[in-house]
Amino acid sequence: MSSTQEHIPSLTVKLASKGDYADWLDAAEAMLNYYKILEVVQATEKRPTDNMKGWDKKNKWARAFLIQHVGSEVHREMPKFRISSEMWKPLEDLFDRKTTSTLHEMVGNLMTLRYTPKISLNDHLTSFAN
């Protein structure tokens, strides 16, 4: 990482709820990929035994990036891990619609979903999507 990467750029969206996750994930992965750090966050680039300083610098940048781009409520839910990939995984588990727990939650929401004639169908579907 060059010295120009010391500044952590801001994303247009902050992860504050499940409704933000898809947009946040796209923006975060694009930014992390641009700075060649996504592999560290996704644990596909392991900490080497020789060039540890380079990997450690990427990991610190990634941790700061993740902390900076989540809302305070989400930050409290994140474990205080020192490794960025250990922070990334709980975010996936908490927000990604592909996990078992979120699938069960979505099925429960679907089963209790009731249409209220006073609101538009579009608003009704939007409230379910979030």
Side-chain angles (χ1 to χ4, degrees):
M1 290 178 41
S2 69
S3 61
T4 60
Q5 293 174 324
E6 295 300 321
H7 170 72
I8 298 173
S10 294
L11 295 177
T12 56
V13 63
K14 199 169 217 177
L15 181 58
S17 69
K18 287 185 183 189
D20 303 330
Y21 184 70
D23 292 335
W24 178 86
L25 181 64
D26 287 343
E29 284 183 340
M31 187 73 69
L32 292 167
N33 192 42
Y34 177 80
Y35 285 99
K36 297 177 180 26
I37 296 176
L38 185 59
E39 293 79 16
V40 172
V41 173
Q42 293 179 333
T44 55
E45 180 182 325
K46 303 292 184 197
R47 187 172 192 244
T49 54
D50 51 345
N51 183 18
M52 292 182 291
K53 278 190 172 186
W55 189 93
D56 288 345
K57 188 172 183 178
K58 287 181 179 182
N59 181 61
K60 285 179 186 177
W61 194 94
R63 285 188 73 249
F65 176 88
L66 290 173
I67 291 167
Q68 178 179 324
H69 291 96
V70 299
S72 58
E73 291 290 321
V74 175
H75 186 254
R76 280 192 286 276
E77 296 293 322
M78 292 172 66
K80 305 296 185 236
F81 291 117
R82 305 303 307 162
I83 307 295
S84 58
S85 61
E86 293 173 348
M87 296 169 73
W88 185 260
K89 181 67 177 137
L91 291 175
E92 285 181 322
D93 293 344
L94 188 60
F95 294 112
D96 196 352
R97 294 179 182 213
K98 293 180 245 172
T99 64
T100 305
S101 59
T102 52
L103 177 61
H104 286 293
E105 182 181 338
M106 287 175 55
V107 169
N109 291 343
L110 181 61
M111 299 306 287
T112 59
L113 181 66
R114 299 287 179 254
Y115 177 65
T116 306
K118 294 177 183 172
I119 64 171
S120 72
L121 183 58
N122 188 38
D123 288 344
H124 176 70
L125 293 174
T126 300
S127 69
F128 175 69
N130 293 330

